Amino acid sequence: MAKEINKNDEFELEIDDIGTEGEGIAHIDGYALFIKDAIPGDVVRVKVIKAKKNYGYGRLIKIVKPSKDRVQPVCPVARQCGGCQIQHLSYDAQLAYKENKIKNCLVRLGKFPKEQIDKIMEPLMGMEEPYHYRNKAQFPVGRNKDGELVTGFYASRTHSIIPATHCAIQDKRNEEILNTVLEFMKEFDIEPYDEVTHTGLVRHILTRVGYHTGEIMVCLVLNGKNLPHQDVFVERLAKIEGMKSISINVNREKTNVILGNKVKTLWGTDYIVDSIGTIQYQISPLSFYQVNPVQTQKLYQAALDYAGLTGNEIVWDLYCGIGTISLFLAKQAKMVYGVEIVPEAIADANRNKEFNQIKNVEFFVGASERVLPEKYRESGGKMSADVIVVDPPRKGCDVSLLQTILDMGPERVVYVSCDPATLARDLRFLCDGGYDLMKVRGCDMFGHSGHVETVVQLVRVK
């Protein structure tokens, strides 16, 4: 009979697996215990903090014997911060974990034979430099328990700020920006926002950096319409090398949403420019843009290769965002149609289309699961595509969209996924409906986190 596990029980255990968010997993007579900050191979002392019938959660008390894959985190606050769940795991081991995560989901949830996945899965695309890769950061501003003005990142699953002006995965230039903003706020007694009382002015400091251009944007998110002494603020930030855009964003709502809808440029341009491959993108404070441009180019190149374009194809790009994949594909397609539910993203997509002088792309505003089925029905079932690309949110694709893809019967489907579990579910639906899974490849877009991107190629069965 399995041992009963209760809250506050303590155990010495060996970690034998790793969870979807990078937490260690130990087993006690089949009972799974999830332990943050532990990795496979660690022997640890843990205290149970929550016990359910078949699984529970434990708090790491002591590492009795470290795993061979354990490394010292580069960041001194890595354990407290919610941004890097697995910085204590060697990078090679991180890549192996992410590749196995994809494989296990496809085999266990998608019911694909392990032999098939082993055969078709290509090597995961890791980073040459897994630090300082993020081109966007959103730093909350507040006061610590001693009343000191601080900025940094939220502790995991809380809104308590871990003070930090340096981050190992963010652009190095952020440190100078943050110190400049904090010194300005202290000098002019400008209060940070208080979530409880809904008072104070400065909520967040948003930074964006063009990886290839070096252009910098700073946007201060305010609980108000104006920034006192903004001329001084602009003068100091404008001295930073690469600065191209300084703005404020107005967010007066009682909400956890970081950005409001109104942006006012104080100095410079309304956007910065960056590129992925040969395509240039105008990026505003509100734009969605991939945070890791080096890995994004690898991912999109794989998607382009899997699309197998010759210049004669009609392509539908669903969940297209600001058209990053659409414009990437358009260089080698006859025509590309992009669909995205967020109107502001489509406005960005059209601006980027004009900016790059690309003519063979058309964008539609609307939910992909509504737009594609509607247009297919309106055509009387005659609308066709040679290739359909989907890049859905974490929840995956709606069944109505997947069924429309089957009804249209494109020669190839390229699925770009940020969640291997929903990917496996959707691939099973498409393969049961007449497609063969031909290629699978992971891409590490978010080093030191538990997340992984995947791109797959499906080919219609003749």
Side-chain angles (χ1 to χ4, degrees), residues 147-164:
E148 297 170 326
L149 188 67
V150 295
T151 187
F153 297 98
Y154 289 129
S156 181
R157 303 182 187 279
T158 77
H159 269 216
S160 299
I161 299 174
I162 303 296

Side-chain angles (χ1 to χ4, degrees), residues 154-426:
Y154 289 129
S156 181
R157 303 182 187 279
T158 77
H159 269 216
S160 299
I161 299 174
I162 303 296
T165 55
H166 172 79
C167 174
I169 61 172
Q170 299 286 355
D171 191 279
K172 294 178 181 179
R173 286 166 287 187
N174 280 328
E175 188 164 15
E176 183 179 3
I177 294 168
L178 296 179
N179 285 327
T180 300
V181 175
L182 290 176
E183 288 167 11
F184 167 80
M185 291 179 65
K186 290 174 185 175
E187 182 177 340
F188 292 100
D189 296 319
I190 296 173
E191 279 297 306
Y193 178 67
D194 185 307
E195 290 183 343
V196 178
T197 62
H198 193 54
T199 58
L201 183 63
V202 179
R203 300 175 71 130
H204 281 80
I205 304 166
L206 167 69
T207 67
R208 306 190 85 140
V209 178
Y211 178 85
H212 294 287
T213 62
E215 296 183 359
I216 299 174
M217 166 184 290
V218 175
C219 179
L220 224 54
V221 184
L222 303 181
N223 178 38
K225 295 182 179 179
N226 296 294
L227 177 67
H229 309 284
Q230 71 177 35
D231 291 345
V232 178
F233 176 75
V234 165
E235 180 186 1
R236 292 180 183 177
L237 279 181
K239 292 177 181 177
I240 296 174
E241 185 178 355
M243 191 64 64
K244 292 291 181 182
S245 175
I246 303 171
S247 61
I248 58 172
N249 173 269
V250 178
N251 182 1
R252 306 190 75 171
E253 302 297 319
K254 292 182 179 180
T255 176
N256 290 335
V257 176
I258 292 174
L259 291 168
N261 295 321
K262 184 179 179 183
V263 177
K264 177 184 176 183
T265 301
L266 304 181
W267 177 88
T269 57
D270 297 336
Y271 57 84
I272 60 171
V273 175
D274 202 13
S275 61
I276 300 174
T278 60
I279 308 297
Q280 289 192 311
Y281 299 90
Q282 294 181 348
I283 309 158
S284 73
L286 299 177
S287 294
F288 171 80
Y289 185 71
Q290 292 284 7
V291 300
N292 188 337
V294 174
Q295 292 300 101
T296 297
Q297 183 167 346
K298 294 179 184 179
L299 182 70
Y300 288 2
Q301 186 59 54
L304 181 61
D305 292 344
Y306 286 4
L309 302 178
T310 64
N312 299 313
E313 290 82 9
I314 302 296
V315 180
W316 279 83
D317 177 20
L318 308 174
Y319 310 96
C320 71
I322 64 167
T324 42
I325 292 182
S326 302
L327 300 177
F328 211 69
L329 297 171
K331 294 283 188 176
Q332 296 185 36
K334 181 179 180 181
M335 188 68 192
V336 177
Y337 298 100
V339 184
E340 170 58 49
I341 194 171
V342 181
E344 293 83 2
I346 290 297
D348 278 340
N350 280 313
R351 275 194 293 272
N352 288 321
K353 167 186 166 181
E354 298 300 325
F355 191 54
N356 289 276
Q357 300 182 325
I358 295 174
K359 308 293 185 184
N360 59 329
V361 179
E362 184 177 353
F363 293 107
F364 301 97
V365 177
S368 293
E369 55 268 27
R370 178 182 60 79
V371 172
L372 192 71
E374 278 185 3
K375 289 194 173 295
Y376 183 69
R377 282 196 300 272
E378 290 168 1
S379 74
K382 295 179 181 179
M383 188 176 82
S384 64
D386 299 292
V387 177
I388 292 180
V389 178
V390 294
D391 186 4
R394 197 164 297 282
K395 66 179 182 178
C397 295
D398 188 89
V399 171
S400 63
L401 176 62
L402 295 173
Q403 186 57 54
T404 304
I405 292 173
L406 294 180
D407 293 341
M408 291 177 66
E411 183 68 26
R412 287 173 297 284
V413 176
V414 178
Y415 195 131
V416 180
S417 167
C418 61
D419 188 298
T422 54
L423 169 68
R425 178 201 67 199
D426 292 351

Side-chain angles (χ1 to χ4, degrees), residues 104-114 116-117 424-425 428 432:
N104 290 339
C105 284
L106 294 177
V107 172
R108 184 169 53 86
L109 303 177
K111 307 300 181 186
F112 292 97
K114 182 178 182 299
Q116 178 191 2
I117 300 304
R425 178 201 67 199
R428 174 43 56 202
D432 286 347

Side-chain angles (χ1 to χ4, degrees), residues 42-71:
D42 279 345
V43 177
V44 296
R45 186 79 187 169
V46 299
K47 182 177 184 177
V48 178
I49 56 175
K50 185 184 289 187
K52 294 185 176 290
K53 184 178 179 181
N54 298 313
Y55 67 94
Y57 298 90
R59 178 170 57 84
L60 179 65
I61 298 173
K62 179 183 178 182
I63 299 171
V64 178
K65 182 182 177 183
S67 165
K68 63 179 177 57
D69 293 318
R70 178 172 283 278
V71 296

